[in-house]
Amino acid sequence: MNGRGIFISFEGIDGAGKSTHIEALAQAFRDRGRIVTCTREPGGTPLAEALRTLALEQAMDPLTEALLMFAARRDHLAQVIEPALARGEVLVCDRFTDATFAYQGGGRGFDVQVLEQLERWVQARADGAVRQPDLTLLFELAPEVAAERLAGARVPDRFESQPLDFFQRVARGYARRAEADPARFARIDASQPREAVWAAVRAAVAAKGFW
């Protein structure tokens, strides 16, 4: 039986291992009778996927990059996220706005106040609040370890090919977001064995009363 809509996001630097657990969590909810929508950012709709391709492949300045991310997010919210939550589904998203603050704000050094204004505009709900996930699972891993995991795994995109210090700034950007909203974030030690990480994910979801 469906209950209220639940919005869970997975965050972390490239190579932190979050993708391994996204489908496992979705299946755990399905096993409990919930309808689950899995999606990602940037992406999740035809328009947002096209914008994702531009962002990952084309060189651009930081403001253009940030605007593309929020344009993709607006379409994603309108077409996928809000309708799924209104239907009472569980929505599991591979990255959301925290990634923009980490990558564009932290990694690129873009003006966080501009990102905050875009966040308020793009994620405004009908009740005047700003749409955020109910739970954000932040996979934390030393950037040098993440780089080792990614090495040779696939051809890197424009973000994955950035130098180590970029990912160190991204990690600090994520940490600032988590420190600013500790009730929403569950910080997962992604250096643990996979079974231990999965146990931490399940515990974080249970602590929120989602099952």
Side-chain angles (χ1 to χ4, degrees):
M1 178 182 294
N2 275 358
R4 71 174 183 85
I6 298 171
F7 183 6
I8 299 174
S9 62
F10 280 70
E11 296 283 359
I13 63 173
D14 297 282
K18 59 187 171 54
S19 300
T20 304
H21 300 281
I22 289 174
E23 182 53 41
L25 182 61
Q27 189 57 51
F29 273 107
R30 293 186 188 108
D31 291 343
R32 287 164 171 78
R34 298 300 298 263
I35 296 174
V36 182
T37 293
C38 287
T39 189
R40 68 175 182 176
E41 287 214 349
T45 70
L47 174 58
E49 290 290 338
L51 295 175
R52 175 191 180 92
T53 298
L54 289 173
L56 296 184
E57 296 180 1
Q58 299 293 321
M60 60 190 70
D61 74 355
L63 176 56
T64 303
E65 190 174 277
L67 290 171
L68 276 182
M69 295 299 179
F70 275 106
R73 181 162 300 126
R74 181 62 189 174
D75 193 59
H76 193 206
L77 281 161
Q79 302 297 329
V80 175
I81 294 175
E82 295 296 355
L85 296 175
R87 293 191 298 265
E89 296 177 12
V90 175
L91 188 130
V92 180
C93 193
D94 184 356
R95 296 206 170 110
F96 191 59
T97 309
D98 300 305
T100 305
F101 281 83
Y103 279 81
Q104 280 71 52
R108 302 288 192 213
F110 188 67
D111 190 335
V112 172
Q113 290 185 324
V114 174
L115 297 180
E116 289 172 346
Q117 182 61 66
L118 289 168
E119 181 181 37
R120 288 190 291 270
W121 286 342
V122 168
Q123 294 161 228
R125 303 189 323 192
D127 61 4
V130 174
R131 171 62 70 191
Q132 297 288 5
D134 299 299
L135 170 65
T136 296
L137 298 159
L138 175 58
F139 282 52
E140 296 187 304
L141 186 68
E144 53 270 25
V145 177
E148 290 175 6
R149 290 184 179 181
L150 280 176
R154 58 181 180 268
V155 177
D157 61 36
R158 197 166 63 87
F159 288 93
E160 293 169 341
S161 61
Q162 293 295 312
L164 181 62
D165 63 341
F166 174 85
F167 289 103
Q168 290 169 338
R169 295 193 300 273
V170 171
R172 290 194 293 271
Y174 270 129
R176 285 191 292 271
R177 287 286 280 185
E179 290 159 5
D181 194 0
R184 174 165 65 86
F185 278 83
R187 301 174 76 166
I188 308 292
D189 179 0
S191 69
Q192 304 175 94
R194 182 178 298 183
E195 296 76 12
V197 173
W198 174 233
V201 168
R202 290 173 58 88
V205 173
K208 283 286 191 178
F210 295 158
W211 58 36

